[in-house]
Structures are given as structure tokens and as C-alpha cells.
Amino acid sequence: MRKESEVIARIAEFSDRLLHVEACISEELTQHYEKRNKSLLLFLHKEKCVWQFAIEQMKWLLEEK
């Protein structure tokens, strides 16, 4: 089993990636709605959901039973 510090470090990495994806979404949303890349926004939304789920699962690992 992994050490708690390794899991916490991985959560921090995932959080950084999530912040990057959210920044990309915000950047795309600043454009006029007709010029937005809708397929990119869909992909970024799915990517955001994946990172959020991964963070939730890693935090679940650290919970006391």
C-alpha cells in the first residue's frame, strides 16, 4: 500500500491538472459564443470530470474507516 504522503502528493498533482483544465475552459468561454470550439469544450468538460473523480477517489483512500 502507498504511504499517505505519496497519496497527498498525487492529490496535489491532480489538483494542479484540474486547475489547468479549468483555466482552459475559462479561456475558451471568453470568446464569442459563435467562435467557441464546442468539441474542445466538451472534451475539457469530460477531462474536468475525470480529474474531479480521481481527486475524490484519492481523498476517499485517506479517510478513516
Side-chain angles (χ1 to χ4, degrees):
M1 182 121 194
R2 301 276 185 186
K3 294 180 183 177
E4 185 176 339
S5 59
E6 292 176 5
V7 175
I8 292 171
R10 188 59 60 108
I11 290 171
E13 290 175 26
F14 289 177
S15 296
D16 289 343
R17 292 178 185 178
L18 178 61
L19 287 174
H20 178 70
V21 169
E22 288 174 341
C24 291
I25 291 171
S26 295
E27 181 180 331
E28 191 67 26
L29 289 176
T30 59
Q31 297 181 13
H32 190 268
Y33 74 94
E34 291 178 345
K35 294 184 179 182
R36 293 179 187 161
N37 186 342
K38 291 163 187 62
S39 60
L40 175 62
L41 282 172
L42 180 62
F43 171 78
L44 290 172
H45 175 69
K46 289 180 181 181
E47 190 78 8
K48 178 182 173 182
C49 292
V50 168
W51 288 120
Q52 287 174 333
F53 181 74
I55 291 169
E56 289 173 15
Q57 293 297 304
M58 297 296 269
K59 288 180 179 179
W60 177 80
L61 286 173
L62 296 176
E63 288 180 1
E64 293 291 325
K65 294 182 181 179

